[in-house]
Amino acid sequence: MHVDPATVLVVDDNPTKRYLLVSWLSRAGYAVVEAETGREALELVEVKPVDLVVLDVRLPDMSGFDVCEKIKGNPKHAALPVVHVSAHAVDVQDRAHGLNRGADAYLVEPIEPEELVATTQAVLRYYRARKQAELLAQRMALLAETTLAINSAADFPRLLAAAAQGAAQIFQGPAAVVTATGDGDFWAATCEDPEQEPVLRPWQPREDIAVGTSFRIDQAADWSLLAWPDDEPVGIATTRIRPDRPAVQVAVPASANIPGAPVLRQLAQAIAAAVEAQRSYDEEHRIAVTLQRSLLPRRLPDVTGLDLARRYEPASAHTEIGGDFYELTMIDGRLLVAIGDVAGHSLHAATVMAELRHALRAYAVEGHPPGTLLVRINDLMLTLLAGEVATVCVMLIDPASGHVRMANAGHLPPMLITDGRVEFIEDRGPLLGLRAHRPEDTEFVVPPGATLVLYTDGLIERRDATIDDGLRALAAVASSGVDDHLDDFCDRLLSELTGPEMSDDIAVVALRRR
């Protein structure tokens, strides 16, 4: 007969009949456990892994109908198949009553051994098909959640960690995910079980993998990344999108897969697609940052009497180029300092930024004061860049005296720090790109030892706070003191006022009069 590893619970208070049922099922290859009463059967179902119940209708403590109904009424066992057997409740009404209360089959005695075994096999086939369908549906739902998580990851390490965590949750056991960064460095993320945090480590695959998706079985020793349960074989799904891209490999215990490993294959494909998107994002981001930095001053001027520092940090959330810029250059013995922000994150915004910066330098060489520089740049924008807007703050500083002449077109106020006292230099001129009257230039003096800081809105703006809140936070950091090295001070401003993920570009310019 066909040997089946399923476990059958036989419930009957008649020792002779129970012996026959147990013997027939045992000879058919089933593992059998026995119970004499309904209460004993319910207790066994809770503590033993049972795949099917053969249940007499008449029991000494309760009817088999009640036992079946209690089993089926428990969500934990609702799918457990029950086959009624009876020598007394044999008419149509009895059989209909038993089936209506949850039984999957109803056999009337006398029962032939072949009939019992065939019915058991048929019910178990349906039961296993249902369990497999439910398992597949559950795994597909978890696969959808994992796909969302890996495609939402901000960077490669978090993507790999989300993939390993998702694999462990889908297959309810240990999992490993291996692939390479855009630089060609292979990494593995492993998860011992669904409740543990993934661990990332370098890993070098041993074989070259063809383009496409495949599934194979490896020995546990070949995947020493994890302590696999009982050293059982490991199921490996691999996906390689292109010959010039490394493969993605996902490893889980082989026994966790259903025939063909459809979910594991789809998971490998989803991870490979997300890795490719992340790799493209990283490449675009590197290109964007390189281009952005090429449009900004390459070095600081050496100015007697002044210490200078600047920082530019691109937004973490954008591959596009931003419109933030700054300028530091000596013209006729005075330091031209400017900082600005063109609206938008795009190549177009960067183009406008470059035009404004070059126009600023050209008009400054002509010897114009800050207010006139802004008027001329505004005329240029209205004529050649209609519809664009930008904020710019421009200063001409005499290094010897510390005298500053400033004009501001809608930009955030510069911050002056003198002996721990913080002051914001207000000059409320309209944005560039608008036809509006501009006020007279503002003039002030930077005392010896004082520090002047210009910045763009990415340093202080937050979605959950107002501009005034941001300015107060900036003032609080500055009032704690300026570092001996201005570079350290700029780094501290960034670290204390921003998080690891910057939602906007940040430019900071700091100068201190000696």
Side-chain angles (χ1 to χ4, degrees):
M1 289 213 175
H2 171 68
V3 177
D4 197 308
T7 299
V8 179
L9 169 62
V10 174
V11 187
D12 199 311
D13 64 326
N14 185 312
T16 302
K17 191 173 75 171
R18 190 171 69 250
Y19 172 78
L20 289 174
L21 295 174
V22 169
S23 298
W24 296 341
L25 291 168
S26 297
R27 285 199 299 268
Y30 296 102
V32 183
V33 292
E34 304 175 43
E36 295 185 23
T37 67
R39 185 175 301 279
E40 185 182 355
L42 293 173
E43 291 173 353
L44 280 171
V45 166
E46 292 297 327
V47 298
K48 284 186 175 293
V50 174
D51 298 297
L52 181 142
V53 180
V54 176
L55 179 61
D56 187 19
V57 171
R58 284 193 176 182
L59 297 171
D61 56 342
M62 64 180 75
S63 75
F65 298 145
D66 291 336
V67 175
C68 178
E69 195 168 57
K70 288 180 180 296
I71 291 174
K72 297 289 188 174
N74 185 339
K76 181 180 175 182
H77 309 299
L80 179 62
V82 175
V83 177
H84 277 316
V85 294
S86 180
H88 303 284
V90 297
D91 58 26
V92 173
Q93 289 79 11
D94 292 326
R95 296 198 300 271
H97 184 65
L99 294 171
N100 286 332
R101 292 186 68 177
D104 297 273
Y106 200 112
L107 298 177
V108 175
E109 297 182 24
I111 304 169
E112 294 297 327
E114 292 81 1
E115 182 184 14
L116 174 65
V117 173
T119 301
T120 299
Q121 290 176 343
V123 171
L124 281 173
R125 278 198 302 271
Y126 172 77
Y127 170 66
R128 285 170 177 158
R130 176 178 172 180
K131 292 288 286 185
Q132 190 173 82
E134 291 174 349
L135 178 62
L136 182 59
Q138 180 187 47
R139 288 182 172 180
M140 291 302 291
L142 291 171
L143 174 63
E145 294 178 6
T146 301
T147 301
L148 177 61
I150 61 180
N151 282 286
S152 302
D155 52 36
F156 180 83
R158 276 177 274 197
L159 186 160
L160 206 57
Q165 185 91 57
Q169 291 172 346
I170 292 170
F171 296 98
Q172 288 297 296
V177 179
V178 178
T179 190
T181 66
D183 298 325
D185 298 325
F186 276 89
W187 285 83
T190 59
C191 208
E192 295 286 348
D193 63 61
E195 302 303 321
Q196 291 191 358
E197 289 296 318
V199 176
L200 270 66
R201 70 193 76 178
W203 180 259
Q204 187 58 48
R206 300 178 184 177
E207 76 281 2
D208 189 27
I209 296 170
V211 173
T213 300
S214 62
F215 175 77
R216 69 177 191 272
I217 303 294
D218 282 356
Q219 295 302 311
D222 296 331
W223 288 79
S224 56
L225 284 162
L226 283 169
W228 302 98
D230 300 324
D231 288 331
E232 72 165 285
V234 182
I236 313 295
T238 64
T239 293
R240 190 170 191 174
I241 294 178
R242 293 171 12 194
D244 60 336
R245 297 301 198 204
V248 168
Q249 300 186 76
V250 186
V252 298
S255 62
N257 290 283
I258 60 177
V263 178
L264 190 64
R265 288 169 176 264
Q266 290 188 49
L267 177 60
Q269 292 170 351
I271 297 170
V275 167
E276 181 64 21
Q278 183 67 52
R279 186 180 288 114
S280 298
Y281 174 94
D282 291 341
E283 290 174 355
E284 292 174 13
H285 194 258
R286 281 194 294 269
I287 293 170
V289 171
T290 300
L291 181 56
Q292 175 79 8
R293 294 188 186 280
S294 72
L295 298 173
L296 297 172
R298 295 186 179 182
R299 61 181 62 88
L300 294 175
D302 186 8
V303 184
T304 302
L306 296 178
D307 295 324
L308 303 176
R310 88 294 197 207
R311 286 290 181 276
Y312 170 75
E313 293 295 335
S316 306
H318 298 287
T319 58
E320 299 92 346
I321 305 168
D324 288 25
F325 70 95
Y326 62 87
E327 181 60 59
L328 287 161
T329 189
M330 290 295 293
I331 297 179
D332 294 334
R334 292 183 297 175
L335 178 65
L336 173 68
V337 182
I339 196 163
D341 186 1
V342 176
H345 278 86
S346 64
L347 180 59
H348 178 71
T351 302
V352 174
M353 175 269 283
E355 292 190 55
L356 295 188
R357 177 172 170 253
H358 292 311
L360 174 67
R361 290 159 62 93
Y363 290 138
V365 168
E366 294 178 354
H368 302 294
T372 304
L373 291 177
L374 292 184
V375 169
R376 288 179 175 264
I377 295 172
N378 195 56
D379 290 342
L380 174 71
M381 290 184 65
L382 292 172
T383 303
L384 302 178
L385 302 168
E388 304 295 338
V389 293
T391 67
V392 180
C393 181
V394 181
M395 297 180 179
L396 282 173
I397 302 175
D398 182 350
S401 66
H403 178 267
V404 180
R405 186 165 181 171
M406 179 183 84
N408 195 338
H411 201 76
L412 292 165
M415 177 175 64
L416 182 63
I417 310 162
T418 309
D419 296 328
R421 183 173 60 85
V422 176
E423 175 187 4
F424 289 102
I425 310 299
E426 298 288 348
D427 184 329
R428 301 181 182 277
L431 281 70
L432 295 180
L434 304 178
R435 296 187 184 277
H437 172 73
R438 299 198 173 275
E440 296 294 324
D441 290 356
T442 297
E443 298 186 51
F444 62 96
V445 173
V446 178
T451 301
L452 187 63
V453 180
L454 294 83
Y455 49 93
T456 55
D457 55 7
L459 184 66
I460 64 166
E461 281 192 354
R462 300 293 175 268
R463 293 177 182 175
D464 57 350
T466 66
I467 288 290
D468 288 339
D469 292 333
L471 290 173
R472 281 192 288 270
L474 174 61
V477 175
S479 63
S480 65
V482 178
D483 301 73
D484 293 337
H485 297 285
L486 281 184
D487 286 325
D488 295 338
F489 179 58
C490 291
D491 290 339
R492 186 158 62 86
L493 290 177
L494 289 172
S495 65
E496 294 192 24
L497 293 172
T498 65
E501 298 295 327
M502 299 179 186
S503 59
D504 196 2
D505 296 347
I506 299 174
V508 177
V509 173
L511 62 91
R512 176 167 53 204
R513 187 180 172 201
R514 297 177 192 152

